[in-house]
Amino acid sequence: MIKDKESFKAKYLETFERVESNPLELANCWEKYHALVTLVKELTNAIWVSTIKSNIKKDKRRVYYLSMEFMIGKMLSYHLMNLGIENIVREGLADLNVSYDELLHQDEEAPLGNGGLGRLAACYLDSMAHEKEAGCGFGFGIRYKYGLFNQKIVDGYQVEIPDPWLKDGYLWETIKPDQMVTVKFKGHVRTEMAGDRLVFIHENYEPVLAIPHDIFISGYRNMARVNYLRLYSAEPAEQEFDLLSFNRGEFAKAAAYRAEVEAISSILYPGDQNEAGSELRLRQEYFLSAASMGDTISYYKTIYGSLDKFAQRVAFHINDTHPAVSIPELMRILIDEEGMGWEEAWEITVNVFSYTNHTILPEALERWPVEQFRALLPRIFMIIEEIDRRFRLEVSRQFPGDDDLLRQTAIIAGGWIHMAHLAVVGSYSVNGVSQIHSKILKEKVLGAFYRIAPEKFHNITNGVSHRRFLHHANPPLSDLISQAIGRGWLDQATELKQLLPFTRDPGFLEQLAQAKHQNKEQLVKFIHERQGVKIDPASIFDIQVKRLHAYKRQILNVLKIMDLYNGLKEGKTILPTTFIFGGKASSGYQLAKAVIKLIHSVAQIVNNDSQVKDFMRVVFLENFNVSLGEIVYPAADISEQISTASMEASGTGNMKFMFNGAITLGSRDGANLEIAEAVGDEHIALFGLTADQVIGLYDSCRYRAWDEYSSTPRLKRVVDQLVNGFIEKSYDFHILYDSLLRDNDQFFVLKDFYPYVQAWERLNRKYADQEKWLHSALHNIAKAGIFSSDRAIKEYDCLIWNNR
């Protein structure tokens, strides 16, 4: 192991000579980077070998975390931080005339997600590798060739550009072709008797090879454990052709097959507005599920020889509804390949799966047309039919004559397969991700299932990696904290509460202000270099960065900015504020893309108006990702968390900002409520409807957006400005105007507008008293420890994964 600068230099030079063809003096930056990555992978591989031996010896349950997204960020500095040698490497490379910072620029971010779901999964892998007492945790995902997309802004419009992040390979991965799994689509299923057993034989299927690529996940200062994230790429199975008789039609068929296969791991979340896109989405979900189940079974049998104690040693966790098809896939393997009967297979299945629901939005609960599903996955459909049949019988036995309960819990109904229902029925645990979200699941969305099996339901509030998003992303603040209370908070985030006495220390608060200013200067420099926009680091940085969606209500923020602009034009004043946005809209989501255009159109007006530009600026950060987030979160003064109450299951951006001392301006939604409970009303600004009030308005159908619009002059003015030519004559914002009025403001933007503006104005005034502001900022940091992903993983380990 590397212990000092000299041992690093010797090891690096030895590695360089072994893997590169040039002497170090003649090498380019990429070759130097390649050698360093190779060295780091060898260090982590040594720990991994030890981890395998320890896992087998301890016989502790292995957790496999299935997710369609993993936003792991850049890996070089992350691994060096966890290994505890980043400063040694920096200094050693400098002795060799190699710039560590230049090597960091070579590091590629894997674009395998679009928001909180994927970053949460990555935070959990980080904490599973760190927590010594938790079970070993491994991620299963898809190796998307182009990820989501690179976002370019052209004349204010979002343009989606393929992200060829794999064009030069990805050095952090290791391919494992010997562990590939064959996934079967289409074909037909016939049955026959084998002795006294009915067996199912899948014929004429389309084979797809799932090729594993492993990425090591190291734990902070945990030399006893390295886990991995396994990503599968889809490749066509080899086909034999008689070249003499091979005709043009066969060639076209083979080419179509190859294209169809490669599309599976091509892009994240293909548009599902048409049947072809919908089928591809289903292919992706089954591909991940089948590869994960087949891989795990194969590995288990290699280690233990049989499936004995499988349910005691293995846990599968479904990160949202997408991988729910894993449940019938495991049943298929146990019955069709391992020869088990239904009861034995089901007993294993319902004792290995747990399910986290991340949203109550109907479209995210997922359902598939029966005919489409049956044609693509004929054997899986048969198993789901049988799961549904048996579950209905059990419900009828427990609740005789309750037809409403049967209807509300059916897996197959009305020509659709309801995947969230399948996930609940096939799992031993179901959890929400904030207290209010779990309450809504139990009382509304999954209330019928809660009535049947209340013991299944839990709450585990989300958490984020404070080591990445505070320690790694914010060195000035991290160093200040460690100087005050030591470094124990890096292992136990709740030790941040030791900062509370410093909230009344003027000298410490001044140092806190200096750290914030340093981070703001870094963001100012980034924005000017990348986008040519100059902003004032002395202004309030009011930031909303998250994927674009109507329920996240970026439009509410923009309407507030328009209202403030109108006030400034009439002679009102505010403390100088820079409003910063970032996030991507799904390529087919026209309303969200219109909001991006609106942000840029408003920015064009505000930033070029000499009367107001000293008071406010508006900036949209192009192509927001994890790496950019690590610059943004430390610089924020105000954290905009303004989703419609009941809609944002938890949120994690709110936690990242909180760890960095931003004050939350939030709706009464998700984890905002738990942040408020932790810090107290003095140190947060909540506003607007409660979740119960929102649900009540939906249920009663009493809400009339027109009444809000017509009775609030300031609101009416900004809504009218969307379409009266005030903003931009060349773009028609009627899609937004209509969503607020004609479509009756589904997400209560108009209802919450005035309370939101009032809450923002209170924060703006509070910022004038810097001692009071800094007191609140430090209070937020001190109370943030409970929102670490370490805490969440401990709760999953104790309440769910190792509670069977």
Side-chain angles (χ1 to χ4, degrees), residues 244-262:
L244 295 178
S245 62
F246 192 53
N247 59 45
R248 191 173 298 175
E250 289 174 321
F251 180 82
K253 185 177 179 181
Y257 160 71
R258 174 174 287 275
E260 195 173 62
V261 168
E262 292 177 348

Side-chain angles (χ1 to χ4, degrees), residues 359-518:
T359 180
I360 67 169
L361 293 176
E363 63 266 27
L365 296 176
E366 287 205 320
R367 61 179 192 170
W368 298 106
V370 164
E371 292 308 316
Q372 181 187 54
F373 194 102
R374 177 163 41 202
L376 187 66
L377 306 171
R379 178 62 179 133
I380 299 302
F381 177 75
M382 295 170 69
I383 293 171
I384 293 175
E385 270 194 316
E386 184 63 11
I387 293 173
D388 185 47
R389 185 187 72 82
R390 290 175 179 245
F391 180 71
R392 287 172 183 263
L393 287 174
E394 180 60 24
V395 171
S396 295
R397 187 189 66 78
Q398 289 186 46
F399 303 90
D402 196 335
D403 293 337
D404 283 344
L405 189 62
L406 281 172
R407 177 180 52 80
Q408 293 166 14
T409 58
I411 298 173
I412 303 176
W416 296 90
I417 302 174
H418 298 268
M419 302 305 288
H421 293 188
L422 175 64
V424 175
V425 171
S427 299
Y428 67 84
S429 172
V430 179
N431 73 278
V433 291
S434 71
Q435 292 172 9
I436 186 64
H437 173 235
S438 296
K439 178 175 179 286
I440 293 169
L441 289 180
K442 291 189 290 187
E443 293 180 358
K444 299 290 293 184
V445 180
L446 299 175
F449 290 100
Y450 181 69
R451 181 182 165 199
I452 295 169
E455 70 282 355
K456 278 190 179 186
F457 286 78
H458 303 87
N459 174 67
I460 298 182
T461 299
N462 283 345
V464 301
S465 172
H466 66 288
R467 287 176 291 274
R468 180 177 280 273
F469 290 107
L470 197 172
H471 175 57
H472 179 263
N474 194 344
L477 179 56
S478 177
D479 290 346
L480 178 62
I481 293 170
S482 295
Q483 289 165 15
I485 65 172
R487 297 174 63 86
W489 64 275
L490 291 166
D491 278 310
Q492 298 291 337
T494 51
E495 291 194 17
L496 288 169
K497 66 180 180 292
Q498 296 178 41
L499 291 170
L500 286 172
F502 293 92
T503 60
R504 300 298 182 185
D505 183 335
F508 190 90
L509 294 180
E510 176 59 29
Q511 290 179 285
L512 179 64
Q514 291 171 5
K516 178 65 70 174
H517 188 79
Q518 187 175 341

Side-chain angles (χ1 to χ4, degrees), residues 648-720:
E648 186 75 86
S650 169
T652 50
N654 46 10
M655 302 169 188
K656 295 164 195 168
F657 282 115
M658 183 187 185
F659 271 112
N660 285 281
I663 296 177
T664 302
L665 172 58
S667 56
R668 302 180 193 279
D669 195 24
N672 292 350
L673 295 171
E674 291 168 58
I675 292 175
E677 183 180 352
V679 302
D681 292 343
E682 179 186 352
H683 306 295
I684 191 172
L686 296 185
F687 69 89
L689 297 169
T690 66
D692 286 342
Q693 288 171 331
V694 167
I695 293 169
L697 287 172
Y698 280 135
D699 290 345
S700 68
C701 300
R702 289 197 313 266
Y703 179 59
R704 294 185 71 245
W706 187 267
D707 291 344
E708 300 295 328
Y709 161 79
S710 58
S711 64
T712 312
R714 285 167 60 181
L715 173 60
K716 183 177 186 301
R717 182 180 182 184
V718 293
V719 172
D720 287 345

Side-chain angles (χ1 to χ4, degrees), residues 118-295:
R119 186 52 234 174
L120 178 77
C123 286
Y124 283 177
L125 292 184
D126 175 272
S127 288
M128 282 190 269
H130 171 261
E131 290 300 317
K132 296 178 178 62
E133 299 305 316
C136 293
F138 307 93
F140 280 142
I142 296 179
R143 183 179 179 264
Y144 304 103
K145 185 177 181 180
Y146 297 109
L148 186 67
F149 55 80
N150 271 331
Q151 181 193 56
K152 297 293 183 183
I153 303 298
V154 179
D155 296 329
Y157 296 90
Q158 173 181 287
V159 178
E160 301 89 27
I161 307 295
D163 185 353
W165 69 287
L166 289 171
K167 66 182 185 300
D168 298 321
Y170 185 61
L171 296 184
W172 293 108
E173 67 182 6
T174 302
I175 189 170
K176 301 283 187 177
D178 58 311
Q179 298 175 32
M180 68 182 180
V181 177
T182 299
V183 181
K184 302 174 182 179
F185 294 98
K186 298 187 176 179
H188 67 270
V189 178
R190 66 178 177 85
T191 60
E192 63 179 41
M193 296 302 297
D196 59 350
R197 290 188 69 246
L198 181 66
V199 298
F200 298 83
I201 302 167
H202 193 175
E203 297 179 324
N204 300 320
Y205 54 81
E206 293 180 1
V208 175
L209 302 181
I211 310 298
H213 300 72
D214 291 350
I215 302 169
F216 285 135
I217 306 295
S218 56
Y220 179 74
R221 301 296 177 97
N222 186 355
M223 297 300 106
R225 179 178 295 172
V226 164
N227 295 334
Y228 65 73
L229 167 61
R230 173 160 286 190
L231 303 174
Y232 298 99
S233 62
E235 296 187 13
E238 290 186 8
Q239 295 175 303
E240 296 182 1
F241 299 114
D242 183 344
L243 294 178
L244 295 178
S245 62
F246 192 53
N247 59 45
R248 191 173 298 175
E250 289 174 321
F251 180 82
K253 185 177 179 181
Y257 160 71
R258 174 174 287 275
E260 195 173 62
V261 168
E262 292 177 348
I264 293 172
S265 56
S266 180
I267 60 171
L268 170 67
Y269 296 149
D272 57 359
Q273 296 86 3
N274 56 47
E275 186 175 349
S278 174
E279 181 178 305
L280 178 54
R281 187 84 167 258
L282 179 54
R283 280 178 178 268
Q284 289 182 329
E285 294 181 6
Y286 180 66
F287 173 77
L288 169 61
S289 299
S292 303
M293 297 301 103
D295 199 341

